[in-house]
Amino acid sequence: GKWHMGVNCKTRRDHCHHPLNHGFDYFYGMPFTLVNECQGTGDPELAKSLQDTYWFYTQMIILAVLTLVIGKLANLFPVKWKIIICLAICGLLHFISWFSSYGFTKYWNCILMRNHDITEQPMNLQITTSNMLKEAIAFIKRTKHRPFLLFVSLLHVHTPLITTEKFQGRSKHGLYGDNVEEMDWMVGRLLDVIDKENLKNTTFIYFASDHGGFLEARRGHSQLGGWNGIYKGGKGMGGWEGGIRVPGIVRWPGVLPAGTVIDEPTSLMDIYPTVVQLAGGEVPHDRVMDGHTLLPLLQGTVQHSRHEFLFHYCGVFLHAVRWHQKDSGTVWKAHYATPVFQPEASGVCFRRGICPCFGDGVTHHDPPLLFNLSQDPSEANPLSADTEPLFDMVMKRIRRAVEEHRKTLTPVPQQLSPYNNIWKPWLQPCCGTFPFCWCHEENDKA
């Protein structure tokens, strides 16, 4: 499914970010992400604000060139043709550089790979769902006689909500609901295969989402990116509950009791140590691990999550800290930074497309905004020293936890820097002779 970690570092075929270079034995899916451009309809989604800025500068250069040409021809002011030609060439190169990055997104970014080979460029979204499902089922069948790890990262439920014709119009909740129903059907197909291959009682299954609903994704009055209920905020917001609080569903018949509901804060970082324990291995001891195995909590041998503190980031910026106070069971959360909503009372960042993590798009709080999530899960009523007797104690304990946490961090190169996110032709995966990157092996096989 969706890898979204990139492919290459220095050359077109070094595959340094590829799944096969990070522990996986087999890969079928999308190395980048799913954006509106892949469907070819709707508003551009990739770096929309950046595209608008580039187009503005392009228009300014065009206007400047036209002004100089008119002025030269009308003898309004002296200017050499060399200067006008140089400015025109610079403007053309500027336009080509950004338009090649964003104007051909469908061809550069919307691709499918099997291991190191590109099978579709651009991908055919109408058959992607069935192809991914077939790959997952085939993997289960050919590895059923030995232990395996299957990670299925669905393109559902994600804008632009690719839904096959069979499921369109099924739900009362529009296209989003249709997409959820198709995802539910896909998961059901995978579970059926697990059952039919007699793997039901020996297979640990964990179903979860990586973030809350994408509130800015709308078409007219239709909500395309989900709904987060009573929780404030959504996707891309590093601190608010609506962006990070998601359910997890676990199935392991004969080992885990059915119908159990666990209301404890855990993290997707817990998947790694859980899988390591299931495989009979040990997590590394040469570093601080942020995740904890879920098995004791799931099996009921412990009643509380080992996560006393969870640190919620937006990019590389710490936005909020959650403290699960063990002696009282109270869950506190302190916000160091929150996104600036546009419009202010909307709870979303409509004008930006998605809320930023830093700069003028966030508000820094000193002292931090403090909420008692046990009593106020909607984060509607920030506490203060005047309204909460434990305010100073809680803030002091959280501050100490942040200091201890930061000592465990190792500086790494900034992966989300502008340079790392601009298009680099020499790194572009291509199934043909660059820049003619078009292939449809899946269709040819069919």
Side-chain angles (χ1 to χ4, degrees), residues 309-323:
F309 291 94
L310 283 169
F311 303 92
H312 302 301
Y313 282 81
C314 187
V316 297
F317 302 95
L318 180 64
H319 272 212
V321 179
R322 181 187 311 262
W323 179 26

PDB file of all heavy atoms in Angstrom, residues 309-323:
ATOM      1  N   PHE A 309       3.928   9.469  29.918  1.00  0.00           N
ATOM      2  CA  PHE A 309       3.956  10.702  29.125  1.00  0.00           C
ATOM      3  C   PHE A 309       3.983  10.344  27.643  1.00  0.00           C
ATOM      4  O   PHE A 309       4.633   9.393  27.229  1.00  0.00           O
ATOM      5  CB  PHE A 309       5.198  11.536  29.456  1.00  0.00           C
ATOM      6  CG  PHE A 309       5.173  12.139  30.826  1.00  0.00           C
ATOM      7  CD1 PHE A 309       5.771  11.470  31.885  1.00  0.00           C
ATOM      8  CD2 PHE A 309       4.544  13.350  31.073  1.00  0.00           C
ATOM      9  CE1 PHE A 309       5.746  12.003  33.160  1.00  0.00           C
ATOM     10  CE2 PHE A 309       4.521  13.894  32.344  1.00  0.00           C
ATOM     11  CZ  PHE A 309       5.116  13.221  33.395  1.00  0.00           C
ATOM     12  N   LEU A 310       3.236  11.109  26.855  1.00  0.00           N
ATOM     13  CA  LEU A 310       3.300  11.020  25.404  1.00  0.00           C
ATOM     14  C   LEU A 310       3.581  12.416  24.868  1.00  0.00           C
ATOM     15  O   LEU A 310       2.947  13.396  25.279  1.00  0.00           O
ATOM     16  CB  LEU A 310       1.993  10.477  24.825  1.00  0.00           C
ATOM     17  CG  LEU A 310       1.779   8.968  24.959  1.00  0.00           C
ATOM     18  CD1 LEU A 310       0.346   8.593  24.591  1.00  0.00           C
ATOM     19  CD2 LEU A 310       2.761   8.206  24.083  1.00  0.00           C
ATOM     20  N   PHE A 311       4.534  12.500  23.940  1.00  0.00           N
ATOM     21  CA  PHE A 311       4.970  13.792  23.406  1.00  0.00           C
ATOM     22  C   PHE A 311       4.468  13.911  21.967  1.00  0.00           C
ATOM     23  O   PHE A 311       4.810  13.103  21.103  1.00  0.00           O
ATOM     24  CB  PHE A 311       6.488  13.884  23.469  1.00  0.00           C
ATOM     25  CG  PHE A 311       7.026  13.681  24.862  1.00  0.00           C
ATOM     26  CD1 PHE A 311       7.390  12.419  25.303  1.00  0.00           C
ATOM     27  CD2 PHE A 311       7.135  14.753  25.740  1.00  0.00           C
ATOM     28  CE1 PHE A 311       7.862  12.218  26.595  1.00  0.00           C
ATOM     29  CE2 PHE A 311       7.604  14.563  27.033  1.00  0.00           C
ATOM     30  CZ  PHE A 311       7.965  13.293  27.461  1.00  0.00           C
ATOM     31  N   HIS A 312       3.654  14.929  21.739  1.00  0.00           N
ATOM     32  CA  HIS A 312       2.975  15.072  20.454  1.00  0.00           C
ATOM     33  C   HIS A 312       3.648  16.155  19.612  1.00  0.00           C
ATOM     34  O   HIS A 312       3.651  17.327  19.988  1.00  0.00           O
ATOM     35  CB  HIS A 312       1.508  15.397  20.663  1.00  0.00           C
ATOM     36  CG  HIS A 312       0.789  14.366  21.480  1.00  0.00           C
ATOM     37  ND1 HIS A 312       0.709  13.045  21.103  1.00  0.00           N
ATOM     38  CD2 HIS A 312       0.130  14.447  22.670  1.00  0.00           C
ATOM     39  CE1 HIS A 312       0.029  12.365  22.002  1.00  0.00           C
ATOM     40  NE2 HIS A 312      -0.331  13.188  22.960  1.00  0.00           N
ATOM     41  N   TYR A 313       4.181  15.717  18.483  1.00  0.00           N
ATOM     42  CA  TYR A 313       4.929  16.618  17.599  1.00  0.00           C
ATOM     43  C   TYR A 313       4.124  16.997  16.365  1.00  0.00           C
ATOM     44  O   TYR A 313       3.280  16.239  15.888  1.00  0.00           O
ATOM     45  CB  TYR A 313       6.213  15.935  17.148  1.00  0.00           C
ATOM     46  CG  TYR A 313       7.312  15.939  18.191  1.00  0.00           C
ATOM     47  CD1 TYR A 313       7.330  15.010  19.216  1.00  0.00           C
ATOM     48  CD2 TYR A 313       8.332  16.889  18.138  1.00  0.00           C
ATOM     49  CE1 TYR A 313       8.337  15.006  20.173  1.00  0.00           C
ATOM     50  CE2 TYR A 313       9.344  16.899  19.092  1.00  0.00           C
ATOM     51  CZ  TYR A 313       9.342  15.953  20.098  1.00  0.00           C
ATOM     52  OH  TYR A 313      10.337  15.961  21.044  1.00  0.00           O
ATOM     53  N   CYS A 314       4.439  18.159  15.838  1.00  0.00           N
ATOM     54  CA  CYS A 314       3.996  18.571  14.508  1.00  0.00           C
ATOM     55  C   CYS A 314       5.290  18.808  13.739  1.00  0.00           C
ATOM     56  O   CYS A 314       6.004  19.769  14.025  1.00  0.00           O
ATOM     57  CB  CYS A 314       3.149  19.840  14.582  1.00  0.00           C
ATOM     58  SG  CYS A 314       2.393  20.307  13.009  1.00  0.00           S
ATOM     59  N   GLY A 315       5.619  17.915  12.823  1.00  0.00           N
ATOM     60  CA  GLY A 315       6.945  17.965  12.215  1.00  0.00           C
ATOM     61  C   GLY A 315       7.991  17.712  13.297  1.00  0.00           C
ATOM     62  O   GLY A 315       7.912  16.737  14.039  1.00  0.00           O
ATOM     63  N   VAL A 316       8.961  18.607  13.399  1.00  0.00           N
ATOM     64  CA  VAL A 316      10.002  18.454  14.422  1.00  0.00           C
ATOM     65  C   VAL A 316       9.720  19.318  15.643  1.00  0.00           C
ATOM     66  O   VAL A 316      10.565  19.439  16.532  1.00  0.00           O
ATOM     67  CB  VAL A 316      11.393  18.818  13.851  1.00  0.00           C
ATOM     68  CG1 VAL A 316      11.771  17.864  12.725  1.00  0.00           C
ATOM     69  CG2 VAL A 316      11.432  20.267  13.363  1.00  0.00           C
ATOM     70  N   PHE A 317       8.534  19.915  15.695  1.00  0.00           N
ATOM     71  CA  PHE A 317       8.205  20.855  16.768  1.00  0.00           C
ATOM     72  C   PHE A 317       7.275  20.196  17.788  1.00  0.00           C
ATOM     73  O   PHE A 317       6.233  19.656  17.437  1.00  0.00           O
ATOM     74  CB  PHE A 317       7.546  22.113  16.193  1.00  0.00           C
ATOM     75  CG  PHE A 317       8.417  22.818  15.188  1.00  0.00           C
ATOM     76  CD1 PHE A 317       8.270  22.555  13.828  1.00  0.00           C
ATOM     77  CD2 PHE A 317       9.401  23.703  15.593  1.00  0.00           C
ATOM     78  CE1 PHE A 317       9.075  23.185  12.899  1.00  0.00           C
ATOM     79  CE2 PHE A 317      10.217  24.339  14.675  1.00  0.00           C
ATOM     80  CZ  PHE A 317      10.058  24.075  13.319  1.00  0.00           C
ATOM     81  N   LEU A 318       7.664  20.260  19.056  1.00  0.00           N
ATOM     82  CA  LEU A 318       6.837  19.711  20.138  1.00  0.00           C
ATOM     83  C   LEU A 318       5.657  20.646  20.373  1.00  0.00           C
ATOM     84  O   LEU A 318       5.828  21.791  20.782  1.00  0.00           O
ATOM     85  CB  LEU A 318       7.672  19.585  21.418  1.00  0.00           C
ATOM     86  CG  LEU A 318       6.933  19.013  22.624  1.00  0.00           C
ATOM     87  CD1 LEU A 318       6.509  17.572  22.371  1.00  0.00           C
ATOM     88  CD2 LEU A 318       7.800  19.107  23.877  1.00  0.00           C
ATOM     89  N   HIS A 319       4.453  20.153  20.109  1.00  0.00           N
ATOM     90  CA  HIS A 319       3.258  20.972  20.265  1.00  0.00           C
ATOM     91  C   HIS A 319       2.525  20.705  21.573  1.00  0.00           C
ATOM     92  O   HIS A 319       1.924  21.617  22.130  1.00  0.00           O
ATOM     93  CB  HIS A 319       2.306  20.750  19.086  1.00  0.00           C
ATOM     94  CG  HIS A 319       2.591  21.647  17.927  1.00  0.00           C
ATOM     95  ND1 HIS A 319       1.622  22.118  17.065  1.00  0.00           N
ATOM     96  CD2 HIS A 319       3.750  22.175  17.479  1.00  0.00           C
ATOM     97  CE1 HIS A 319       2.155  22.905  16.154  1.00  0.00           C
ATOM     98  NE2 HIS A 319       3.459  22.938  16.361  1.00  0.00           N
ATOM     99  N   ALA A 320       2.538  19.444  22.036  1.00  0.00           N
ATOM    100  CA  ALA A 320       1.765  19.137  23.239  1.00  0.00           C
ATOM    101  C   ALA A 320       2.365  17.942  23.969  1.00  0.00           C
ATOM    102  O   ALA A 320       3.082  17.125  23.381  1.00  0.00           O
ATOM    103  CB  ALA A 320       0.307  18.857  22.874  1.00  0.00           C
ATOM    104  N   VAL A 321       2.062  17.859  25.266  1.00  0.00           N
ATOM    105  CA  VAL A 321       2.516  16.743  26.099  1.00  0.00           C
ATOM    106  C   VAL A 321       1.333  16.224  26.893  1.00  0.00           C
ATOM    107  O   VAL A 321       0.577  16.997  27.492  1.00  0.00           O
ATOM    108  CB  VAL A 321       3.642  17.182  27.068  1.00  0.00           C
ATOM    109  CG1 VAL A 321       4.066  15.996  27.943  1.00  0.00           C
ATOM    110  CG2 VAL A 321       4.833  17.737  26.301  1.00  0.00           C
ATOM    111  N   ARG A 322       1.165  14.897  26.887  1.00  0.00           N
ATOM    112  CA  ARG A 322       0.087  14.242  27.624  1.00  0.00           C
ATOM    113  C   ARG A 322       0.684  13.537  28.836  1.00  0.00           C
ATOM    114  O   ARG A 322       1.664  12.803  28.726  1.00  0.00           O
ATOM    115  CB  ARG A 322      -0.594  13.222  26.714  1.00  0.00           C
ATOM    116  CG  ARG A 322      -1.768  12.460  27.315  1.00  0.00           C
ATOM    117  CD  ARG A 322      -2.196  11.365  26.331  1.00  0.00           C
ATOM    118  NE  ARG A 322      -2.360  11.915  24.998  1.00  0.00           N
ATOM    119  CZ  ARG A 322      -3.522  12.280  24.474  1.00  0.00           C
ATOM    120  NH1 ARG A 322      -4.632  12.113  25.145  1.00  0.00           N
ATOM    121  NH2 ARG A 322      -3.582  12.786  23.267  1.00  0.00           N
ATOM    122  N   TRP A 323       0.089  13.759  30.017  1.00  0.00           N
ATOM    123  CA  TRP A 323       0.538  13.102  31.245  1.00  0.00           C
ATOM    124  C   TRP A 323      -0.589  12.255  31.807  1.00  0.00           C
ATOM    125  O   TRP A 323      -1.643  12.771  32.184  1.00  0.00           O
ATOM    126  CB  TRP A 323       0.991  14.132  32.285  1.00  0.00           C
ATOM    127  CG  TRP A 323       1.449  13.504  33.589  1.00  0.00           C
ATOM    128  CD1 TRP A 323       1.961  12.253  33.766  1.00  0.00           C
ATOM    129  CD2 TRP A 323       1.405  14.104  34.899  1.00  0.00           C
ATOM    130  NE1 TRP A 323       2.261  12.034  35.088  1.00  0.00           N
ATOM    131  CE2 TRP A 323       1.931  13.146  35.822  1.00  0.00           C
ATOM    132  CE3 TRP A 323       0.981  15.344  35.385  1.00  0.00           C
ATOM    133  CZ2 TRP A 323       2.032  13.397  37.172  1.00  0.00           C
ATOM    134  CZ3 TRP A 323       1.108  15.602  36.743  1.00  0.00           C
ATOM    135  CH2 TRP A 323       1.629  14.633  37.632  1.00  0.00           C
TER     136      TRP A 323
END
